[in-house]
């Protein structure tokens, strides 16, 4: 299964990404839309 998190800038996408993936992607108060998307693989039991 592949999924993507989309939404407005600063709406909390990276925060949700980090929660779902136990990741440490940078959460910022400024727009990082120009940067590469965060990608992770997670096991779903
Ligand atoms: N008050 C509040 N702030 C949040 C919430 N989720 C994320 N933030 C803050 O909103 C800012 C942007 O979050 P981020 O995950 O980087 O958003 P993104 O631009 O959609 O990736 C950061 O300062 C987060 O700490 C939330 O549920 N409540
Ligand atoms: Mg982000």
């Amino acid at each position: 299964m592949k999924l993507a998190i989309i939404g407005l800038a600063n709406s909390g996408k990276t925060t949700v990404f980090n929660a779902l993936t136990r990741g440490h992607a940078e959460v910022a108060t400024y727009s990082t839309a120009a940067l590469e998307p965060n990608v992770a693989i997670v096991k779903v039991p």
Side-chain angles (χ1 to χ4, degrees):
M1 176 172 62
K2 289 185 177 180
L3 62 86
I5 303 168
I6 61 172
L8 296 174
N10 284 325
S11 61
K13 301 180 297 298
T14 301
T15 301
V16 171
F17 174 87
N18 284 337
L20 292 175
T21 65
R22 298 181 182 175
H24 298 91
E26 182 186 12
V27 172
T29 53
Y30 52 86
S31 175
T32 55
L35 299 180
E36 287 294 302
N38 298 307
V39 178
I41 299 174
V42 180
K43 287 187 177 178
V44 180

